[in-house]
Amino acid sequence: MLSVIRTIWNVFLHTFHRRVTIQYPDKKSYMPPRSRHRIILSRDPDGGERCVACHLCSAVCPVDCIALQAKEDENGRRYPEFFRINFSRCIFCGFCEDACPTYAIQLTPDFEMAEYNRQNLVYEKEDLLIDGPGKYPGYNFWRVSGVQIGGKDKGEAENEAPPTDVHRLMP
Amino acid sequence: MTNFAHIAFYLAGAVAVLATVLAITRLVAVHALLYLIVSLLAVAVDFYIMGAPLLAALEVIIYAGAIVVLFVFVVMMLNLGTQARETERLWLTGRAWIGPAILSALLLAELIYLILRPPLLGSLSGVTSPKQIAIALYGPYVLGVELASMLLLGALVGACHLGRSSLSETEVQR
Amino acid sequence: MTSPHPIASIIGVLIVALSLSAFLIWVERRLLALWQDRYGPNRVGPFGLLQVVADMIKIFTKEDWIPPFADKPVFVIAPAIIMVTVLMSFAIIPVAPGIVVSDLNIGLLFVLGMSSLGVYSIVLAGWASGNKYSLLGGLRAAAQMISYEVFMGLSLMGVVLLAGTFNLTGIVKAQQNLWFVIPQFLGFVLFLIAGVAEARRLPFDLPEAEAELVAGFHSEYSGMKFGMFFVGEYLGITLISSMIAVLFLGGWMGPWLPPVVWFLVKVFAFLCFFILLRASLPRLRFDQLMSLGWKVMFPLALANLLVTGAVVVAMK
C-alpha cells in the first residue's frame, strides 16, 4: 500500500523534471558522421565516378535493394550504366559500404527522406551521385589500382613498380 | 393525478408487458435477456410514477443492474455452439432488434420528461421518501427484515460451503 | 426541486460534459507525456489544443466496419448504452446552487443505478463482437463491475448517514462546516478506488487490457462506435470526479471564487489524479483484482458503515 503511494508520488515528481524530447523539426539532434542513413555514390578527387560496377554491394545487400548494370567506356574504365537503390526496401545496414572496394558507395548522416509516394523512394544514379569524394577525400581508385586504362598504362599507378619484362632472365 | 402521469404510467406498463412477451419468445438467450432488462426498467418507471422512487432505484440497481448481469454472464460462459447459433440466426432476422431500441427510446423520452417535470411525479399517490421506507422497515416490519436477512445469510453460508467443498475435492483428486 | 430553466441547464450540462471529455483527450495525452518526461501533442494549434479537433475529424471519417460474424443489432446498441447511461447520470450532479438538471431526492441511487446499467454496454459489446478476446473482456467487465459496485454503494452510505439524505444538493449543503472527506476518509478512499474500477481506468482496465486481450471488448469496434466507447470512458471519469467533488469535497463550496469555478477546479484535480494513476501504476492481475475487492475493500466498507452508524447514533 505504502509502496503504491510512493510510486504515485515519485511519478508526480516527474512534473518538475527536464523533458528529454528533442523538438525535432525546430531543433535537430547531432548525427555522428559515421551514422548510417541516406546512401550516396561519391566521385574521385578528379571528378570521375568511383563506382566500378563490381556488383559486390548488390550481392551483399541482405534485402536486395541495389540494382546496377556494368558498362565500360572508351578508356576501359568500368562504370555503372544505371545504379538504382530502392529505399523503401533498404534497411540501412551499411554492408554495401563495407563491401565496396573503391569507397564509392557511402552512407551519410542525412535521414530526412520521407515521401508521400512510395515510387519516389526509388533513387536513380543521378539522385545518388554527389560531386565530392565523401568521407575519403584523397582516394582515387584508378590511380592506385594496377588496372590498365586509357591514359594510364601498367606500372604508372602510384607506388607501382614497372611491370616485369618476361623476356629477360634477371630476377 | 394528471393526465400525463396516467399516460406515462400506462405506456410504461404496456412497454413492460410487451418487452416481457418478447423476452419469452426470443430464440437467442442474450436477446431475451435484453428484453427482460427493458421490462424491468419499465417496471421501475411505473414504480417511480406511483411515488416510490427508492423502489424504482433499487429495481434498477439490483434487478436490472446486478441479477440480469449475472444471467448474461452465465449465458456468455455457456458459449452456445455456432451450430445452434446459426439455426437460431436463420429464424431471427436483424430487424427484430428495432424493437428494444424503440421501446427503450420511449422509456428514455418518458424518463427525461418526468425528470423535467418533477411536480407531476408523485401525483398518483404522494411520494414515499427513503426515510419513511426505512422507518417502516425497521419499525413494524422489522421481523420481515430479520427473516429476509437470515435467509440471505443462510444462502451466503451455503454458497461459501459449496464453493469451498468443490475446491477441496479437486485438490484431493489431484 | 428542479432548476428554473430545465432545457437551458440540460443543454449546458451536455455541452460542458461532452466538450470537457473531448478536451480530456488532449489533457490526458499532455499530462501522461509530462509525467513521462515527454511533450505529448504540441504541434496542432497553440499547445497542441487543436489536436482534439484533428482527432475528432479522424474518428468521424474512419471506416465504420461491422464484422460479419458479429451480432449486428447488439453490436450497434452497445456503444450507445454507455453514452446514454453516463450522460443521464450527469443530470443529477449539482454544479452550483440552482444549476442542476434534476434535483432528485434519490439522486445518489440514480447514479448507482445508471452506473450498474452501464455494465451492459461493455458486456454486450464483448458478446456481440463474436470474438474470443472480446468475450473474455466482457466476462471480466461483468465480474469486475458487479464486484466493485457493491462496495462502491456501501462506501457512499457513510456519507448518506452523515448527511441524512440521498439528495446530492442536500449532501453538499450538509458539508457547510466540514467537508466529508475528513470524517469519511476511509469512505473517500474506498469510493476513489471503486470509481477507478467502475470507469475501467488503469490500474483496473482489465476488460480492455491491450497487452493480453488486444483491447478486449472494443477490439472489433471502429470509427465513431469506438469513439463512443472512448468518449464514454472520459465521461465516466468526469462523472466519478464530479461525484467525489460533490460527496466528499463540498461540491461548489469554497472561499472567494464563484461556486461553478470551485466545482470545476475540484473535478479537474481529480481528473488529473486519475491520469496520474494511469501514468504510475501497472495493471493488476484478475485474481488480485477480485481478492482486493472482496477480501479487503468489501470488509473495510462494511466496517466503515458500521462505525459511522454507531458514531451517528452516539452523537444523537
Side-chain angles (χ1 to χ4, degrees):
Chain A
M1 187 66 205
L2 262 180
S3 69
V4 168
I5 292 167
R6 204 177 59 225
T7 307
I8 296 172
W9 174 247
N10 282 341
V11 172
F12 177 73
L13 286 182
H14 273 263
T15 315
F16 311 107
H17 283 205
R18 203 173 59 81
R19 307 188 193 211
V20 294
T21 312
I22 293 165
Q23 298 264 43
Y24 160 61
D26 307 335
K27 216 194 303 178
K28 294 189 175 166
S29 60
Y30 168 73
M31 301 300 288
R34 291 205 285 177
S35 50
R36 307 192 304 261
H37 297 286
R38 187 163 62 87
I39 298 176
I40 50 105
L41 285 175
S42 56
R43 287 178 189 272
D44 282 342
D46 305 344
E49 278 177 47
R50 265 180 181 160
C51 180
V52 294
C54 65
H55 294 278
L56 281 177
C57 52
S58 73
V60 80
C61 182
V63 291
D64 291 342
C65 69
I66 303 179
L68 69 154
Q69 173 69 56
K71 210 180 177 187
E72 210 164 287
D73 67 3
E74 64 277 10
N75 289 327
R77 273 176 72 139
R78 279 167 63 91
Y79 72 98
E81 187 182 8
F82 68 82
F83 197 105
R84 194 175 290 146
I85 297 183
N86 183 353
F87 278 108
S88 67
R89 292 187 62 85
C90 181
I91 57 172
F92 304 98
C93 61
F95 283 8
C96 47
E97 184 174 12
D98 286 346
C100 186
T102 66
Y103 295 145
I105 192 163
Q106 292 176 12
L107 278 78
T108 61
D110 173 31
F111 58 90
E112 293 159 319
M113 46 194 304
E115 294 282 354
Y116 282 103
N117 186 356
R118 187 164 276 249
Q119 206 58 44
N120 293 343
L121 281 170
V122 179
Y123 280 38
E124 294 294 340
K125 194 165 96 173
E126 50 269 33
D127 308 319
L128 295 165
L129 259 180
I130 61 165
D131 284 337
K135 294 181 224 177
Y136 304 94
Y139 182 75
N140 188 334
F141 172 75
W142 294 108
R143 291 271 177 75
V144 294
S145 78
V147 185
Q148 175 186 11
I149 54 165
K152 188 202 81 171
D153 211 347
K154 278 193 176 160
E156 290 178 3
E158 287 167 19
N159 301 326
E160 192 187 17
T164 310
D165 186 353
V166 291
H167 300 297
R168 291 184 60 193
L169 289 174
M170 291 300 288
Chain B
M1 194 179 275
T2 59
N3 248 348
F4 173 75
H6 273 296
I7 295 168
F9 180 82
Y10 288 118
L11 200 60
V15 168
V17 172
L18 204 63
T20 313
V21 169
L22 287 168
I24 296 163
T25 53
R26 288 311 89 184
L27 296 163
V28 177
V30 172
H31 294 176
L33 286 173
L34 279 174
Y35 274 109
L36 186 61
I37 297 161
V38 173
S39 153
L40 288 170
L41 291 179
V43 173
V45 171
D46 269 355
F47 279 144
Y48 197 92
I49 296 170
M50 286 165 74
L54 184 72
L55 217 55
L58 290 182
E59 170 102 7
V60 171
I61 294 174
I62 293 174
Y63 284 94
I67 292 179
V68 184
V69 173
L70 289 179
F71 287 3
V72 174
F73 189 85
V74 170
V75 169
M76 278 162 67
M77 291 269 268
L78 287 179
N79 192 19
L80 302 167
T82 45
Q83 188 73 45
R85 199 180 285 179
E86 275 311 308
T87 51
E88 279 160 357
R89 191 162 287 168
L90 283 178
W91 295 330
L92 191 83
T93 55
R95 268 176 298 154
W97 267 96
I98 302 166
I102 293 172
L103 295 184
S104 310
L106 276 176
L107 273 180
L108 192 70
E110 261 185 55
L111 257 180
I112 289 168
Y113 191 82
L114 287 174
I115 284 168
L116 285 183
R117 306 273 308 273
L120 295 173
L121 294 179
S123 51
L124 279 182
S125 61
V127 181
T128 321
S129 75
K131 204 170 248 173
Q132 282 169 282
I133 292 176
I135 289 168
L137 277 181
Y138 285 92
Y141 299 108
V142 70
L143 188 66
V145 173
E146 285 303 317
L147 282 176
S149 67
M150 293 287 271
L151 193 67
L152 287 175
L153 187 65
L156 195 66
V157 171
C160 258
H161 177 71
L162 285 176
R164 194 164 280 267
S165 68
S166 70
L167 190 78
S168 62
E169 256 170 45
T170 54
E171 291 281 322
V172 167
Q173 276 164 8
R174 267 179 213 165
Chain C
M1 187 112 177
T2 175
S3 70
H5 309 292
I7 301 294
S9 46
I10 285 180
I11 293 171
V13 167
L14 268 183
I15 289 176
V16 169
L18 283 175
S19 55
L20 191 65
S21 60
F23 174 63
L24 267 179
I25 299 171
W26 175 80
V27 170
E28 169 149 44
R29 291 175 66 182
R30 285 299 296 230
L31 281 181
L32 274 182
L34 174 69
W35 287 317
Q36 292 165 356
D37 298 343
R38 301 183 283 119
Y39 281 95
N42 63 349
R43 291 282 146 192
V44 195
F47 301 105
L49 263 170
L50 295 180
Q51 184 72 42
V52 178
V53 182
D55 282 351
M56 298 266 251
I57 292 170
K58 183 195 77 176
I59 217 160
F60 273 111
T61 51
K62 266 192 166 179
E63 184 187 1
D64 200 347
W65 186 70
I66 298 175
F69 44 81
D71 190 316
K72 281 197 186 65
V74 184
F75 190 83
V76 175
I77 281 177
I81 294 175
I82 194 164
M83 291 287 281
V84 169
T85 53
V86 178
L87 283 175
M88 289 284 279
S89 307
F90 274 103
I92 52 99
I93 300 283
V95 177
I99 305 182
V100 54
V101 176
S102 171
D103 207 8
L104 285 181
N105 57 356
I106 49 150
L108 202 51
L109 292 177
F110 184 78
V111 173
L112 289 177
M114 281 300 145
S115 84
S116 65
L117 286 183
V119 184
Y120 284 112
S121 170
I122 315 298
V123 174
L124 292 177
W127 179 78
S129 294
N131 167 331
K132 281 175 200 153
Y133 292 115
S134 301
L135 185 71
L136 278 173
L139 287 175
R140 281 183 176 188
Q144 170 182 339
M145 291 178 80
I146 284 188
S147 312
Y148 276 69
E149 228 157 57
V150 172
F151 73 82
M152 184 181 190
L154 278 178
S155 64
L156 291 180
M157 289 309 134
V159 170
V160 173
L161 275 178
L162 288 180
T165 175
F166 282 118
N167 180 311
L168 288 180
T169 313
I171 289 175
V172 174
K173 282 183 179 147
Q175 303 177 59
Q176 195 82 57
N177 301 319
L178 184 63
W179 289 358
F180 283 153
V181 66
I182 297 165
Q184 278 294 312
F185 187 72
L186 188 59
F188 165 73
V189 173
L190 290 173
F191 182 73
L192 190 65
I193 294 171
V196 179
E198 281 293 302
R200 301 175 307 285
R201 292 281 299 177
L202 233 74
F204 300 118
D205 70 336
L206 286 129
E208 51 182 280
E210 63 272 13
E212 334 151 26
L213 292 186
V214 287
F217 64 90
H218 60 54
S219 51
E220 299 291 351
Y221 280 88
S222 56
M224 201 47 216
K225 290 200 195 69
F226 169 75
M228 276 158 108
F229 280 122
F230 202 61
V231 173
E233 183 184 322
Y234 284 116
L235 280 174
I237 60 169
T238 316
L239 178 70
I240 296 293
S241 307
S242 324
M243 291 287 289
I244 292 172
V246 166
L247 294 172
F248 295 100
L249 290 176
W252 63 73
M253 293 188 186
W256 308 306
L257 296 170
V260 179
V261 176
W262 264 114
F263 181 78
L264 287 178
V265 163
K266 288 168 185 171
V267 170
F268 194 72
F270 275 97
L271 288 175
C272 294
F273 182 71
F274 281 138
I275 295 167
L276 177 60
L277 281 184
R278 175 171 174 181
S280 51
L281 294 182
R283 182 182 303 125
L284 266 67
R285 219 168 55 210
F286 197 71
D287 61 318
Q288 290 171 332
L289 177 89
M290 281 315 206
S291 56
L292 175 74
W294 286 108
K295 291 182 184 164
V296 181
M297 297 294 165
F298 186 60
L300 276 178
L302 273 180
N304 179 44
L305 182 61
L306 209 67
V307 171
T308 313
V311 169
V312 167
V313 169
M315 295 286 268
K316 277 182 184 166

